[in-house]
């Protein structure tokens, strides 16, 4: 069985930290909490869970704080979390099994990171994957003042179905934007992923005109990774949409096809553009591709469950109805209902389409 150091950086998390630690403390052999300037009871709460608590003078750099936390770990593997993350009961069991069975030649373990979940069932609505558990002896480092990531490119990685669920509320966009702008004001430069994240933060702040050239510049970066390039196309297309530049929106979505087989998310976005143009046959093609490509993606791409389940069927229902193909519309609505059996809009569609088909068969 491996040993695990849980390493976290926190600030003013007295309310959320207990929920996080209750979900994982008994599975960690060591808890390292690095406080970056709390003014509440965060440090006392951490100590109540047996954590080793350290202070770190915040310097507008998340990677620096996380690297400091990693430097304090003493166990074989390091697990990292944020205070608004939890392991649900099924995933606690999976983590325990991993701890008992993990092969010593594994350097990094990827786990799902659930970004949004369905309120009633807890089913993931959007998720990605992160290198969540890493071998301490490899001395992996965090990179990036915001949206930091672990560089484990040279290690042996294991993909698992274990999930960490994000239960935070609100957006950190304003905070991250301030950090990047402070970096620039202090003489720092935009390069690589930092330019991409700056563009995303500008877009999240509604500063679409400012975001556009930064996305465009990032898309010319020969060192950018594929997932970032595809996401940059999607985010740039969104900016063009908000700016009313529909032709450039579609062109940018199509540009993403040069990087990889289009994911369901990209296919649905292109299908939506075709709907806006009332090009129903083309919309049908792209929504059909969304269904066909439901398993397309990489280990770290962001997955929106709707685009891979009910959404393309729902849109195909509308498109076929526009062309007068009521049988196909009815069948796709039924497929959408398999995923959302109590959705009032889909149930109403079923009634209307069934009536229309019955009327057509007797006329």
């Amino acid at each position: 069985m491996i040993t695990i150091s849980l390493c976290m950086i926190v600030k003013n998390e007295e309310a959320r930290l207990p929920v996080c630690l209750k979900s994982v403390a008994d599975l960690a052999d060591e808890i390292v909490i690095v406080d970056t300037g709390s003014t509440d009871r965060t440090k006392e709460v951490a100590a109540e869970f047996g954590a080793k608590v350290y202070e770190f003078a915040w310097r507008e750099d998340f990677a620096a704080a996380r690297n400091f936390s990693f430097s304090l770990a003493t166990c074989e593997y390091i697990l990292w979390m944020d205070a608004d993350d939890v392991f649900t009961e099924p995933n606690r069991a999976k983590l325990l099994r991993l701890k008992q069975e993990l092969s010593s030649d594994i350097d990094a373990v990827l786990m799902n990171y659930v970004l949004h979940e369905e309120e009633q069932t807890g089913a993931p609505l959007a998720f990605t994957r992160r290198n969540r558990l890493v071998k301490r002896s490899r001395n992996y480092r965090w990179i990036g003042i915001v949206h930091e990531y672990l560089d484990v490119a040279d290690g042996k990685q294991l993909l698992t179905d274990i999930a960490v669920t994000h239960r935070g509320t609100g957006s950190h966009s304003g905070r991250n934007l301030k950090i990047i702008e402070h970096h620039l004001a202090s003489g720092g430069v935009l390069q690589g992923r930092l330019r991409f994240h700056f563009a995303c933060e500008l877009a999240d702040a509604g500063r679409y005109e400012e975001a556009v050239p930064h996305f465009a510049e990032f898309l010319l970066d020969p060192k950018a990774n594929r997932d970032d390039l595809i996401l940059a196309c999607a985010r740039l297309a969104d900016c063009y949409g908000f700016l009313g530049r529909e032709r450039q929106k579609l062109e940018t979505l199509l540009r993403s096809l040069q990087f990889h087989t289009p994911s369901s998310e990209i296919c649905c976005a292109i299908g939506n553009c075709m709907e806006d143009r009332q090009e129903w046959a083309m919309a049908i093609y792209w929504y059909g591709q969304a269904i066909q490509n439901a398993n397309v993606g990489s280990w770290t791409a962001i997955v929106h469950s709707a685009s891979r389940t009910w959404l393309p069927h729902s849109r195909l229902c509308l498109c076929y109805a526009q062309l007068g193909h009521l049988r196909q519309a009815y069948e796709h609505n039924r497929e959408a209902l398999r995923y959302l059996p109590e959705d009032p809009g889909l149930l109403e569609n079923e009634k209307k389409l069934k009536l229309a088909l019955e009327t057509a068969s007797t006329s």
Side-chain angles (χ1 to χ4, degrees):
M1 180 184 293
I2 65 168
T3 58
I4 296 176
S5 296
L6 171 64
C7 292
M8 302 178 63
I9 60 172
V10 297
K11 180 180 179 181
N12 292 335
E13 295 288 3
E14 66 175 359
R16 295 188 291 192
L17 187 58
V19 179
C20 171
L21 291 179
K22 284 177 183 176
S23 79
V24 71
D26 61 324
L27 300 175
D29 300 282
E30 174 184 58
I31 302 175
V32 175
I33 301 291
V34 170
D35 188 275
T36 61
S38 293
T39 56
D40 63 3
R41 295 188 63 257
T42 294
K43 288 182 282 188
E44 289 83 354
V45 169
E48 291 169 3
F49 282 86
K52 300 174 182 178
V53 182
Y54 302 87
E55 294 184 358
F56 181 80
W58 180 245
R59 56 181 194 236
E60 307 292 326
D61 187 334
F62 279 94
R66 290 206 191 273
N67 284 327
F68 178 67
S69 74
F70 272 34
S71 74
L72 301 168
T74 63
C75 293
E76 295 172 272
Y77 283 82
I78 302 174
L79 172 73
W80 67 273
M81 296 176 71
D82 291 326
D84 49 6
D85 295 335
V86 298
F87 281 96
T88 61
E89 279 302 322
N91 288 291
R92 279 173 45 81
K94 292 178 182 179
L95 178 59
L96 176 58
R97 192 177 314 120
L98 178 78
K99 183 178 180 180
Q100 294 168 336
E101 300 175 357
L102 185 65
S103 173
S104 61
D105 66 336
I106 298 298
D107 298 311
V109 178
L110 286 109
M111 300 183 190
N112 291 341
Y113 189 32
V114 178
L115 305 172
H116 303 288
E117 57 184 335
E118 208 281 324
E119 289 186 11
Q120 302 299 321
T121 66
L125 299 178
F127 69 91
T128 184
R129 297 183 180 93
R130 302 292 298 271
N131 284 293
R132 183 65 65 173
L133 183 75
V134 295
K135 186 180 289 185
R136 183 173 65 89
S137 63
R138 294 303 307 266
N139 295 313
Y140 289 129
R141 303 285 294 173
W142 288 91
I143 298 172
I145 58 175
V146 297
H147 297 291
E148 65 280 13
Y149 67 96
L150 280 165
D151 183 8
V152 300
D154 63 342
K156 183 175 182 179
Q157 297 173 269
L158 174 69
L159 177 63
T160 73
D161 65 350
I162 304 172
V164 173
T165 299
H166 179 69
R167 293 258 171 92
T169 57
S171 169
H172 297 307
S173 181
R175 177 200 67 188
N176 293 338
L177 187 54
K178 287 180 181 178
I179 290 174
I180 300 175
E181 290 179 331
H182 176 268
H183 168 77
L184 296 175
S186 302
V189 297
L190 286 176
Q191 56 184 6
R193 296 188 88 191
L194 186 58
R195 181 180 295 279
F196 169 58
H197 292 312
F198 185 45
C200 290
E201 299 297 344
L202 288 170
D204 289 341
R207 294 161 60 177
Y208 306 117
E209 286 284 9
E210 295 174 71
V212 164
H214 289 292
F215 280 126
E217 182 71 19
F218 177 75
L219 286 169
L220 299 176
D221 184 349
K223 297 181 180 179
N225 74 56
R226 183 184 66 190
D227 289 343
D228 286 346
L229 290 168
I230 293 171
L231 184 54
C233 285
R235 294 300 307 270
L236 177 55
D238 286 342
C239 289
Y240 283 137
F242 282 115
L243 294 170
R245 293 153 67 175
E246 297 300 325
R247 179 181 60 80
Q248 289 167 292
K249 175 182 178 179
L250 178 57
E251 289 175 350
T252 304
L253 289 169
L254 293 171
R255 182 178 179 182
S256 72
L257 273 58
Q258 68 182 294
F259 303 120
H260 196 251
T261 303
S263 66
S264 296
E265 291 79 8
I266 291 293
C267 291
C268 283
I270 297 174
N272 181 255
C273 288
M274 297 305 174
E275 275 195 75
D276 290 342
R277 294 174 168 217
Q278 297 187 359
E279 296 183 16
W280 308 114
M282 289 295 291
I284 286 170
Y285 170 80
W286 284 105
Y287 288 128
Q289 288 298 115
I291 295 169
Q292 182 175 320
N293 295 354
N295 294 319
V296 168
S298 71
W299 283 11
T300 58
I302 295 177
V303 173
H304 292 277
S305 298
S307 298
R308 296 168 185 245
T309 54
W310 64 269
L311 180 60
H313 287 293
S314 173
R315 304 316 300 170
L316 281 166
C317 169
L318 182 146
C319 294
Y320 276 117
Q322 289 288 341
L323 294 175
H325 300 162
L326 299 185
R327 173 56 60 184
Q328 291 96 323
Y330 177 80
E331 293 300 331
H332 281 288
N333 192 72
R334 290 291 295 169
E335 284 297 309
L337 275 167
R338 286 202 308 112
Y339 299 102
L340 300 175
E342 299 179 5
D343 184 83
L346 296 176
L347 290 170
E348 184 64 22
N349 286 346
E350 183 177 36
K351 291 179 183 178
K352 291 179 178 179
L353 288 166
K354 186 179 291 186
L355 178 61
L357 286 168
E358 291 172 353
T359 302
S361 66
T362 58
S363 61

